[in-house]
Amino acid sequence: MRIEMRALSVVLVSALALGACSSGGSSENTAASTGCAPSEGNVTLTYTTWIPGIENVVKVWNDKNPNIQVKVQTGPNGNGGTYANFFNQLKAGNAPDLGHIEYDALPSFRVQDGLTNLADCTEVTAAKDQFVDWTWGQVTFGEENAVYGIPQDAGPMALFYRKDLFEKNNIPVPATWDEYAVAAEKVKAAGGYITNFSQSDINQFAGFAWQAGGRWFANDGSKWTVNLQDEATTKVAGYWQGLIDAKLVSAVPPWTTEWDNAYNTGQAWTWTSAVWGANSIMSGAPDTKGKWAVAPMPQWTSGATVAGNWGGSSTAVFKGSKHPYEAAKFALWLNTSEEALTLLNSEAQLYPATKAGAKLPALSEGVEFYGGQKIYDVFATASTQVAPDFVWGPTMTSTYATASDGFKAAVSGNGTLLDALKTTQTKTVENLKSQSIPVAE
């Protein structure tokens, strides 16, 4: 769903890289000066999210914190309508105190000046080292004295593969993308496809580009730079175009019955996906129980150890909240306490953004569906290998939509992935300019 964003003034966008709060003074004085001081009396916070089972997690907090109660409001996923609601609520001045926002959507809210900078809430600043470095970068945008959300979950990527089929056909598990292409030919000869190239999961492609060193957006404090055709991204697009042209990958629409069947029947042998993909395979391909395994993401250079990321989200405090101190306190508990992280994993299979979260008992055990392999060890390592300097642009929903249209055309033989990226580059710049968001030429 396309999110229509209100036009911005140059002054507002110029504030993007500026800390909204001073970093000087004592923590008490600083908190008071930025409105991040404890509220008087009892507080009720509103929190909007689409996390399954979140009510059970929040109940634990409410039972232990009678003076700070959290009221949950659930809705569709972000691009399914919740983000549009957030923007409308911000405009009307009745946004919830806290909202669930994915990393790639955060910049949209930042340029709208819709987020509370929590940097001078001292508990927030002190929590930085608890999070995997790159996830902290996702909520600070590289700004000093700025924290626009608390990292919640992550989507480090790895290679899901049909261990039984690779072994039966004597095909080595590919450790590099060159080896992956060779394996694709052998899989095709055996009657299958090495994977399905998604026509619409542009954030998966972004994960591929992220791993390769692509950097699509940058902001210097006054202007945005857009580069969807950088050298790394061009390399990734050319690689997948080669597999498409050679008919070594299928191109079934993702998240469909046809897509599930391809994996459930052994037509598709691998999926380079995020940690949450483990559950997608389990639910979509139940007949393959015990036949899958997980390996590190293939590398562009032999011996390298670099991973991409697909997904992940934060808990943000909206501008206008009357209780940012209490909201930040709840957001930290939700995303750092072992109690909450364990519940979030069991209720919604969220993979924690904290360093300690990767060591939760539930993530340290072998997974029966994957032959008893401790698959989360692979993702824990991958999460430490994600580069921290990938920046999302402020209009990702429309960027994704344009790219998806081009990718669909490419897999149908009408153009190429590089053509799609060129068009997306042009339209993204036009979109930014149409909203008075300064762009570097």
mmCIF file of all heavy atoms in Angstrom, residues 19-47:
data_model
loop_
_atom_site.group_PDB
_atom_site.id
_atom_site.type_symbol
_atom_site.label_atom_id
_atom_site.label_comp_id
_atom_site.label_asym_id
_atom_site.label_seq_id
_atom_site.Cartn_x
_atom_site.Cartn_y
_atom_site.Cartn_z
ATOM 1 N N GLY A 19 20.598 16.772 16.293
ATOM 2 C CA GLY A 19 20.016 16.234 17.518
ATOM 3 C C GLY A 19 18.957 17.189 18.029
ATOM 4 O O GLY A 19 19.163 18.401 18.076
ATOM 5 N N ALA A 20 17.811 16.660 18.419
ATOM 6 C CA ALA A 20 16.731 17.530 18.873
ATOM 7 C C ALA A 20 16.931 17.977 20.308
ATOM 8 O O ALA A 20 16.224 18.826 20.801
ATOM 9 C CB ALA A 20 15.394 16.804 18.736
ATOM 10 N N CYS A 21 17.901 17.358 20.974
ATOM 11 C CA CYS A 21 18.105 17.690 22.377
ATOM 12 C C CYS A 21 19.571 17.996 22.648
ATOM 13 O O CYS A 21 20.453 17.454 22.026
ATOM 14 C CB CYS A 21 17.680 16.522 23.273
ATOM 15 S SG CYS A 21 16.034 15.900 22.924
ATOM 16 N N SER A 22 19.809 18.844 23.589
ATOM 17 C CA SER A 22 21.183 19.148 23.999
ATOM 18 C C SER A 22 21.789 17.971 24.722
ATOM 19 O O SER A 22 21.114 17.195 25.373
ATOM 20 C CB SER A 22 21.172 20.363 24.926
ATOM 21 O OG SER A 22 22.416 20.519 25.544
ATOM 22 N N SER A 23 23.120 17.826 24.602
ATOM 23 C CA SER A 23 23.788 16.730 25.289
ATOM 24 C C SER A 23 24.520 17.194 26.532
ATOM 25 O O SER A 23 25.187 16.425 27.193
ATOM 26 C CB SER A 23 24.799 16.061 24.338
ATOM 27 O OG SER A 23 25.771 17.009 23.933
ATOM 28 N N GLY A 24 24.421 18.465 26.853
ATOM 29 C CA GLY A 24 25.150 18.957 27.997
ATOM 30 C C GLY A 24 24.356 18.910 29.276
ATOM 31 O O GLY A 24 23.167 18.650 29.292
ATOM 32 N N GLY A 25 25.034 19.174 30.397
ATOM 33 C CA GLY A 25 24.350 19.236 31.683
ATOM 34 C C GLY A 25 24.187 17.896 32.333
ATOM 35 O O GLY A 25 24.536 16.860 31.795
ATOM 36 N N SER A 26 23.648 17.924 33.554
ATOM 37 C CA SER A 26 23.416 16.675 34.270
ATOM 38 C C SER A 26 22.273 15.930 33.649
ATOM 39 O O SER A 26 21.452 16.487 32.923
ATOM 40 C CB SER A 26 23.079 16.975 35.741
ATOM 41 O OG SER A 26 21.816 17.607 35.815
ATOM 42 N N SER A 27 22.196 14.624 33.917
ATOM 43 C CA SER A 27 21.123 13.830 33.325
ATOM 44 C C SER A 27 19.772 14.337 33.791
ATOM 45 O O SER A 27 18.811 14.346 33.035
ATOM 46 C CB SER A 27 21.291 12.351 33.710
ATOM 47 O OG SER A 27 21.246 12.204 35.128
ATOM 48 N N GLU A 28 19.686 14.783 35.029
ATOM 49 C CA GLU A 28 18.405 15.251 35.539
ATOM 50 C C GLU A 28 17.974 16.522 34.821
ATOM 51 O O GLU A 28 16.849 16.643 34.349
ATOM 52 C CB GLU A 28 18.497 15.505 37.043
ATOM 53 C CG GLU A 28 17.169 16.000 37.631
ATOM 54 C CD GLU A 28 17.261 16.207 39.126
ATOM 55 O OE1 GLU A 28 18.302 15.841 39.704
ATOM 56 O OE2 GLU A 28 16.327 16.722 39.721
ATOM 57 N N ASN A 29 18.925 17.479 34.708
ATOM 58 C CA ASN A 29 18.585 18.742 34.067
ATOM 59 C C ASN A 29 18.304 18.554 32.582
ATOM 60 O O ASN A 29 17.418 19.185 32.017
ATOM 61 C CB ASN A 29 19.731 19.752 34.258
ATOM 62 C CG ASN A 29 19.829 20.213 35.697
ATOM 63 O OD1 ASN A 29 18.864 20.140 36.434
ATOM 64 N ND2 ASN A 29 21.016 20.675 36.096
ATOM 65 N N THR A 30 19.113 17.684 31.937
ATOM 66 C CA THR A 30 18.928 17.456 30.514
ATOM 67 C C THR A 30 17.577 16.838 30.246
ATOM 68 O O THR A 30 16.850 17.215 29.342
ATOM 69 C CB THR A 30 20.036 16.534 29.969
ATOM 70 O OG1 THR A 30 21.298 17.124 30.256
ATOM 71 C CG2 THR A 30 19.909 16.340 28.480
ATOM 72 N N ALA A 31 17.211 15.827 31.056
ATOM 73 C CA ALA A 31 15.927 15.163 30.858
ATOM 74 C C ALA A 31 14.789 16.157 30.997
ATOM 75 O O ALA A 31 13.856 16.164 30.206
ATOM 76 C CB ALA A 31 15.760 14.023 31.867
ATOM 77 N N ALA A 32 14.911 17.021 31.991
ATOM 78 C CA ALA A 32 13.847 17.980 32.206
ATOM 79 C C ALA A 32 13.748 18.954 31.042
ATOM 80 O O ALA A 32 12.664 19.318 30.609
ATOM 81 C CB ALA A 32 14.089 18.747 33.511
ATOM 82 N N SER A 33 14.906 19.353 30.490
ATOM 83 C CA SER A 33 14.892 20.328 29.410
ATOM 84 C C SER A 33 14.310 19.759 28.131
ATOM 85 O O SER A 33 13.830 20.503 27.291
ATOM 86 C CB SER A 33 16.322 20.832 29.139
ATOM 87 O OG SER A 33 17.117 19.797 28.592
ATOM 88 N N THR A 34 14.357 18.446 27.945
ATOM 89 C CA THR A 34 13.851 17.843 26.715
ATOM 90 C C THR A 34 12.478 17.217 26.921
ATOM 91 O O THR A 34 11.946 16.593 26.023
ATOM 92 C CB THR A 34 14.809 16.749 26.225
ATOM 93 O OG1 THR A 34 14.885 15.728 27.225
ATOM 94 C CG2 THR A 34 16.194 17.308 25.975
ATOM 95 N N GLY A 35 11.897 17.358 28.095
ATOM 96 C CA GLY A 35 10.607 16.762 28.329
ATOM 97 C C GLY A 35 10.679 15.292 28.649
ATOM 98 O O GLY A 35 9.662 14.604 28.643
ATOM 99 N N CYS A 36 11.884 14.800 28.945
ATOM 100 C CA CYS A 36 12.036 13.378 29.259
ATOM 101 C C CYS A 36 12.207 13.199 30.757
ATOM 102 O O CYS A 36 13.137 12.540 31.217
ATOM 103 C CB CYS A 36 13.205 12.778 28.499
ATOM 104 S SG CYS A 36 13.149 10.973 28.438
ATOM 105 N N ALA A 37 11.332 13.799 31.499
ATOM 106 C CA ALA A 37 11.334 13.651 32.949
ATOM 107 C C ALA A 37 10.121 12.818 33.356
ATOM 108 O O ALA A 37 9.113 12.784 32.645
ATOM 109 C CB ALA A 37 11.266 15.026 33.613
ATOM 110 N N PRO A 38 10.200 12.124 34.484
ATOM 111 C CA PRO A 38 9.064 11.309 34.938
ATOM 112 C C PRO A 38 7.805 12.162 35.110
ATOM 113 O O PRO A 38 7.858 13.304 35.568
ATOM 114 C CB PRO A 38 9.550 10.750 36.277
ATOM 115 C CG PRO A 38 11.041 10.775 36.182
ATOM 116 C CD PRO A 38 11.383 11.986 35.373
ATOM 117 N N SER A 39 6.686 11.602 34.738
ATOM 118 C CA SER A 39 5.409 12.281 34.923
ATOM 119 C C SER A 39 4.942 12.128 36.365
ATOM 120 O O SER A 39 5.337 11.189 37.057
ATOM 121 C CB SER A 39 4.351 11.693 33.985
ATOM 122 O OG SER A 39 4.741 11.792 32.640
ATOM 123 N N GLU A 40 4.097 13.033 36.790
ATOM 124 C CA GLU A 40 3.537 12.929 38.134
ATOM 125 C C GLU A 40 2.272 12.075 38.101
ATOM 126 O O GLU A 40 1.466 12.163 37.188
ATOM 127 C CB GLU A 40 3.208 14.322 38.675
ATOM 128 C CG GLU A 40 4.431 15.210 38.870
ATOM 129 C CD GLU A 40 4.062 16.555 39.458
ATOM 130 O OE1 GLU A 40 2.858 16.753 39.764
ATOM 131 O OE2 GLU A 40 4.959 17.405 39.600
ATOM 132 N N GLY A 41 2.121 11.237 39.119
ATOM 133 C CA GLY A 41 0.917 10.421 39.227
ATOM 134 C C GLY A 41 0.931 9.212 38.308
ATOM 135 O O GLY A 41 1.944 8.872 37.684
ATOM 136 N N ASN A 42 -0.208 8.554 38.233
ATOM 137 C CA ASN A 42 -0.330 7.373 37.396
ATOM 138 C C ASN A 42 -0.388 7.747 35.920
ATOM 139 O O ASN A 42 -0.895 8.813 35.551
ATOM 140 C CB ASN A 42 -1.586 6.581 37.772
ATOM 141 C CG ASN A 42 -1.501 6.006 39.172
ATOM 142 O OD1 ASN A 42 -0.414 5.783 39.702
ATOM 143 N ND2 ASN A 42 -2.651 5.772 39.792
ATOM 144 N N VAL A 43 0.123 6.846 35.094
ATOM 145 C CA VAL A 43 0.215 7.102 33.659
ATOM 146 C C VAL A 43 -0.395 5.932 32.888
ATOM 147 O O VAL A 43 -0.188 4.773 33.244
ATOM 148 C CB VAL A 43 1.690 7.282 33.231
ATOM 149 C CG1 VAL A 43 1.831 7.252 31.725
ATOM 150 C CG2 VAL A 43 2.248 8.582 33.790
ATOM 151 N N THR A 44 -1.138 6.247 31.829
ATOM 152 C CA THR A 44 -1.620 5.227 30.899
ATOM 153 C C THR A 44 -1.092 5.551 29.513
ATOM 154 O O THR A 44 -1.308 6.653 29.002
ATOM 155 C CB THR A 44 -3.162 5.169 30.860
ATOM 156 O OG1 THR A 44 -3.660 4.802 32.146
ATOM 157 C CG2 THR A 44 -3.626 4.141 29.839
ATOM 158 N N LEU A 45 -0.365 4.618 28.948
ATOM 159 C CA LEU A 45 0.227 4.778 27.621
ATOM 160 C C LEU A 45 -0.571 3.988 26.589
ATOM 161 O O LEU A 45 -1.123 2.934 26.894
ATOM 162 C CB LEU A 45 1.675 4.264 27.617
ATOM 163 C CG LEU A 45 2.638 4.865 28.631
ATOM 164 C CD1 LEU A 45 3.950 4.081 28.634
ATOM 165 C CD2 LEU A 45 2.906 6.336 28.302
ATOM 166 N N THR A 46 -0.607 4.492 25.372
ATOM 167 C CA THR A 46 -1.217 3.744 24.272
ATOM 168 C C THR A 46 -0.114 3.256 23.342
ATOM 169 O O THR A 46 0.844 3.991 23.055
ATOM 170 C CB THR A 46 -2.206 4.613 23.485
ATOM 171 O OG1 THR A 46 -1.575 5.849 23.106
ATOM 172 C CG2 THR A 46 -3.443 4.906 24.320
ATOM 173 N N TYR A 47 -0.252 2.028 22.877
ATOM 174 C CA TYR A 47 0.776 1.390 22.060
ATOM 175 C C TYR A 47 0.102 0.646 20.920
ATOM 176 O O TYR A 47 -0.716 -0.246 21.147
ATOM 177 C CB TYR A 47 1.586 0.435 22.946
ATOM 178 C CG TYR A 47 2.546 -0.492 22.233
ATOM 179 C CD1 TYR A 47 3.310 -0.065 21.150
ATOM 180 C CD2 TYR A 47 2.693 -1.812 22.664
ATOM 181 C CE1 TYR A 47 4.208 -0.921 20.526
ATOM 182 C CE2 TYR A 47 3.594 -2.672 22.050
ATOM 183 C CZ TYR A 47 4.344 -2.233 20.975
ATOM 184 O OH TYR A 47 5.220 -3.088 20.362
#
